[in-house]
């Protein structure tokens, strides 16, 4: 694969990270749907054999419409924005150096 193709990948990854970082910076928290909350309860976190896991599984499976709220820390948005800017500039410089 030549350098121009790699540079396009760097630019695309940088733009995606810039958009994701801007989204996280603009929004304070994310509230998941009940189906996403059920997926997280069954696949991530403590298992049903622990006390906390048993409570989580009971709450999610009782059809009460429980929704998980995710609040990312503020540094995640800045990290995504910074990485996106660096990747985009790097991809642009790869294109400029090959001309």
């Amino acid at each position: 694969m030549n350098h121009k193709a790699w540079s396009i990948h760097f630019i695309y990854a940088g733009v995606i990270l810039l958009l994701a970082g801007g989204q996280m910076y603009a929004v304070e928290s994310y509230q998941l749907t009940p189906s996403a909350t059920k997926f997280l309860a069954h696949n991530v976190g403590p298992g049903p054999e622990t006390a906390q896991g048993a409570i989580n599984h009971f709450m999610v499976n009782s059809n009460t419409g429980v929704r998980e709220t995710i609040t990312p820390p503020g540094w995640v948005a800045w990290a995504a924005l910074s990485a996106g800017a660096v990747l985009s500039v790097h991809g642009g410089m790869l294109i400029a150096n090959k001309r």
Side-chain angles (χ1 to χ4, degrees):
M1 196 180 268
N2 60 13
H3 285 282
K4 188 170 184 180
W6 276 109
S7 62
I8 296 297
H9 292 304
F10 280 121
I11 291 172
Y12 284 155
V15 168
I16 288 172
L17 280 173
L18 281 170
L19 291 172
Q23 173 79 24
M24 285 186 278
Y25 185 71
V27 177
E28 187 173 312
S29 65
Y30 299 93
Q31 189 171 24
L32 302 179
T33 63
S35 61
T37 301
K38 185 179 279 191
F39 176 80
L40 282 179
H42 290 296
N43 296 314
V44 179
E49 62 276 354
T50 64
Q52 181 66 33
I55 292 170
N56 287 346
H57 282 265
F58 174 73
M59 290 298 293
V60 169
N61 292 330
S62 64
N63 288 331
T64 58
V66 175
R67 293 173 167 235
E68 180 73 25
T69 301
I70 297 175
T71 306
W75 62 266
V76 174
W78 288 109
L81 286 168
S82 300
V86 168
L87 283 174
S88 297
V89 169
H90 179 67
M93 291 181 72
L94 285 177
I95 289 175
N97 287 338
K98 284 298 169 182
R99 289 188 180 185

